[in-house]
Amino acid sequence: MGMHLGFLFPSWGLGTRYRKSVVKEKKMKINFILNENEVSIDVDPMKRLLDILREDFGLTGTKEGCGEGECGACTILLDGKPVTSCILNAIHADGKEIYTVEGIAEKHIGKLLIDCFDETNAVQCGFCFPGFLVSSYYYLKTDGEKNLDKIKKALSGNICRCTGYQKIFESVMMACVRKS
Amino acid sequence: MKFVKPKDVENLLKNLEEDKGKKYFLAGGTDLNVQIKNGIIRDANIIYINHLTELSGISEENNIILIGATTSIMDILDSDLIKRHLPYFQRSLESFASPLLQNTATIGGNIANGSPTADVIPLLLVLNAKVELSSKSQCRLVYIKDFFTGYKQNVMKSNEIITHIIIDKNAEKDFLTFYEKVGSRRTLTISKVTLAGMKKVSGNRISQIRLAVGSLSEFPRRLFKVEDYITDKTLTEIDFSKVENLLGKEITPITDLRSDKEYRYHVCVNLIRTFLNQ
Ligand SMILES: Cc1cc2nc3c(=O)[nH]c(=O)nc-3n(C[C@H](O)[C@H](O)[C@H](O)COP(=O)(O)OP(=O)(O)OC[C@H]3O[C@@H](n4cnc5c(N)ncnc54)[C@H](O)[C@@H]3O)c2cc1C
Ligand code: FES
Ligand code: FES
């Protein structure tokens, strides 16, 4: 499993694309719970949630692929539900509870999933992996039935350009069995 | 250039009264943030509304279902109330983007953004839904069929906001229904043609029909002329080249790169035929 945590934490070569906010408004205090810690930040309320996590909190496990909600590389849990953080704003986090892939990797089911992805060799370049991990985690927490159709649906917002998905689905099926 | 987070709806409406300039509401942000990224929106005044609990949630009142404007697509999919009264509406929304998007995208945002491809609108059109528009001094109901006036244009005034969507509890009762998106990709289909349909049949005859299309015109719309032509006919009496003709008369086509107009008309007529054959 060693290699995989490596996929989660390094910042990628992409660098952070600097994005001018449309609103040059004074900063606002945003409070939320991030991976089980209460945090508070003074920030432009329109700053992308993805950028807050990566830049302000150094949580670079959350990736930016398309930046338009289509690929799922930036998936996080917001109040328990998987969402794409590239098209959410700082203000959307206010008063909410957030888990990033780093937080999920610490959870029992998160670890179980990482092992299954590893054993199945479901990860190639790894860029999509954090997003898949978050969506799979949500599936295991809320349903967890070893059912291919359900799993496909649960992961339908995440795109992988390397693997052709079969191994990813297998990994999640495996985790469903092991969890129960 | 301003960002406002009103403390409640009353405050929000007061704010709209005072500041009549161009502004955007930030609900789920799935449309707004993409428009910001692509430079379509710059220097915008933004009013955050997603935290306003008065605007979210699904409830019933006598014979209507009230859906708050900031209710997410997922909340509609999960709602027992919607399942009981509007199963067609609920089932059809399953094809909306992906679960990730369903968790953030709101129904009010879908309507207000008013994209020709907006999935919720054709459904609301055949269900004869109403949009509740509120300002500080009044609250008015507009049928969704009368809401749009042009490409991304609608009847909303600068001091108004969509507060609820209202659908009759028995809007689907005794109707046979149809919903089909013909698009290029499985989940994230920004559709090429969408057809929503509801019909009643007595014997061989189609006694009542409602049809609405997405992606064909500057905004999703009902096909009243086609409906009139089909009503009270049997399947064999319907001439589908005539239907295609009426379609051309009824709508102002949008041109974009996704696929050409004739092709889309053709797909649409085929969808109508499929529905009538069911
Ligand atoms: C990857 C991706 C896939 C998508 N797939 C689909 C799809 O399959 N089908 C589909 O129909 N759409 C799709 N969309 C578009 C979008 O998700 C929907 O239109 C969504 O419902 C918009 O809601 P929102 O809350 O995110 O709107 P926002 O982005 O918050 O707002 C959009 C617009 O609506 C206005 N607005 C919002 N709420 C109100 C209100 N209460 N009163 C008045 N004005 C308001 C805002 O001023 C703004 O102009 C997709 C978008 C993305 C990025
Ligand atoms: S980067 Fe957010 S969905 Fe692609
Ligand atoms: S492993 Fe490369 S994108 Fe999925």
Side-chain angles (χ1 to χ4, degrees):
Chain A
M1 92 148 249
M3 64 181 243
H4 289 104
L5 286 179
F7 280 122
L8 303 181
F9 299 112
S11 43
W12 274 64
L14 282 184
T16 315
R17 281 171 229 171
Y18 177 65
R19 219 173 291 282
K20 266 203 220 151
S21 170
V22 275
V23 187
K24 283 274 158 283
E25 180 55 12
K26 60 176 184 305
K27 297 187 171 180
M28 242 174 99
K29 197 172 221 49
I30 311 271
N31 304 302
F32 57 105
I33 298 173
L34 179 55
N35 295 330
E36 302 180 2
N37 299 310
E38 279 180 34
V39 297
S40 175
I41 178 174
D42 252 326
V43 72
D44 172 352
M46 287 300 287
K47 184 167 177 177
R48 297 189 313 164
L49 191 49
L50 171 69
D51 296 335
I52 306 262
L53 298 170
R54 288 181 60 90
E55 294 168 11
D56 298 276
F57 291 98
L59 295 169
T60 52
T62 308
K63 306 297 181 205
E64 173 165 14
C66 65
E68 298 194 1
E70 299 202 6
C71 75
C74 63
T75 307
I76 58 164
L77 293 185
L78 180 68
D79 272 0
K81 292 187 176 168
V83 295
T84 50
S85 62
C86 69
I87 47 174
L88 284 164
N89 309 89
I91 191 74
H92 284 110
D94 198 26
K96 300 282 171 70
E97 185 185 20
I98 287 179
Y99 278 96
T100 65
V101 67
E102 288 87 349
I104 282 167
E106 295 291 311
K107 299 295 232 181
H108 171 66
I109 293 176
K111 288 179 182 154
L112 182 76
L113 275 163
I114 292 171
D115 286 345
C116 293
F117 272 74
D118 189 14
E119 288 172 36
T120 319
N121 272 321
V123 184
Q124 287 183 27
C125 81
F127 194 78
C128 66
F129 180 50
F132 274 104
L133 195 56
V134 176
S135 289
S136 312
Y137 178 83
Y138 178 75
Y139 178 74
L140 260 81
K141 285 283 276 191
T142 54
D143 189 324
E145 188 194 332
K146 185 188 170 229
N147 176 319
L148 185 60
D149 286 339
K150 280 191 184 180
I151 292 171
K152 280 185 179 170
K153 193 172 162 195
L155 303 184
S156 62
N158 296 85
I159 289 177
C160 174
R161 282 174 301 172
C162 305
T163 68
Y165 302 99
Q166 288 320 311
K167 294 195 163 176
I168 294 173
F169 299 148
E170 264 173 51
S171 311
V172 180
M173 303 266 264
M174 184 191 268
C176 291
V177 175
R178 285 198 193 164
K179 187 198 155 210
S180 53
Chain B
M1 289 191 277
K2 240 177 18 180
F3 181 91
V4 181
K5 182 185 176 188
K7 86 168 188 290
D8 52 25
V9 172
E10 194 188 330
N11 246 272
L12 164 74
L13 298 178
K14 218 171 98 198
N15 188 294
L16 291 181
E17 213 60 55
E18 285 156 12
D19 179 3
K20 294 246 165 72
K22 177 74 187 160
K23 78 250 324 154
Y24 293 92
F25 298 108
L26 176 63
T30 60
D31 278 318
L32 213 55
N33 279 308
V34 173
Q35 288 159 10
I36 289 170
K37 175 177 184 257
N38 295 329
I40 297 164
I41 297 176
R42 295 166 210 267
D43 297 342
N45 286 348
I46 288 174
I47 303 180
Y48 185 59
I49 59 170
N50 227 21
H51 62 300
L52 299 170
T53 46
E54 302 152 82
L55 291 187
S56 111
I58 299 160
S59 57
E60 56 185 325
E61 228 170 67
N62 303 322
N63 52 355
I64 57 168
I65 302 282
L66 276 156
I67 306 176
T70 60
T71 306
S72 71
I73 302 301
M74 193 56 100
D75 286 343
I76 296 173
L77 288 171
D78 285 344
S79 161
D80 286 336
L81 206 53
I82 300 284
K83 186 175 193 169
R84 193 155 359 113
H85 297 287
L86 304 168
Y88 159 65
F89 180 54
Q90 189 174 58
R91 198 169 54 237
S92 304
L93 286 179
E94 277 183 21
S95 64
F96 189 104
S98 67
L100 303 180
L101 263 292
Q102 289 165 3
N103 281 331
T104 20
T106 69
I107 181 168
N110 197 265
I111 297 169
N113 189 61
S115 158
T117 63
D119 279 337
V120 185
I121 302 169
L123 292 165
L124 295 179
L125 280 166
V126 292
L127 290 166
N128 268 340
K130 291 178 206 135
V131 180
E132 180 193 72
L133 297 173
S134 300
S135 64
K136 192 171 161 239
S137 53
Q138 69 158 347
C139 175
R140 59 180 178 133
L141 296 179
V142 178
Y143 276 104
I144 185 92
K145 73 174 167 61
D146 301 322
F147 184 76
F148 297 101
T149 54
Y151 178 73
K152 297 213 168 194
Q153 302 285 309
N154 60 50
V155 300
M156 217 168 30
K157 301 200 190 94
S158 68
N159 62 348
E160 288 179 320
I161 181 166
I162 300 174
T163 38
H164 289 94
I165 290 67
I166 295 167
I167 309 176
D168 265 3
K169 261 186 194 166
N170 45 24
E172 293 182 13
K173 201 163 171 274
D174 302 327
F175 277 95
L176 299 168
T177 57
F178 182 85
Y179 184 72
E180 190 78 43
K181 288 207 258 184
V182 178
S184 43
R185 246 186 24 215
R186 193 171 44 91
T187 38
L188 298 169
T189 22
I190 299 291
S191 52
K192 285 178 176 171
V193 181
T194 307
L195 182 77
M198 294 182 31
K199 67 175 178 182
K200 282 186 185 170
V201 182
S202 67
N204 283 338
R205 240 160 251 288
I206 295 146
S207 56
Q208 206 180 337
I209 185 154
R210 295 188 204 140
L211 299 167
V213 286
S215 300
L216 269 190
S217 45
E218 337 96 298
F219 50 89
R221 62 195 302 164
R222 279 277 292 275
L223 301 175
F224 290 110
K225 291 201 171 95
V226 178
E227 291 174 9
D228 280 350
Y229 172 72
I230 291 173
T231 306
D232 286 333
K233 290 202 171 53
T234 63
L235 206 55
T236 44
E237 284 167 0
I238 297 167
D239 171 359
F240 282 93
S241 62
K242 172 93 180 166
V243 170
E244 192 154 344
N245 211 300
L246 285 170
L247 198 62
K249 292 212 173 101
E250 183 120 51
I251 58 186
T252 330
I254 37 161
T255 39
D256 70 4
L257 298 174
R258 287 207 187 92
S259 51
D260 59 276
K261 181 181 105 190
E262 281 72 25
Y263 168 75
R264 288 193 202 198
Y265 281 11
H266 211 69
V267 171
C268 183
V269 172
N270 282 340
L271 289 174
I272 294 173
R273 195 199 310 261
T274 309
F275 175 40
L276 295 181
N277 272 311
Q278 275 178 1

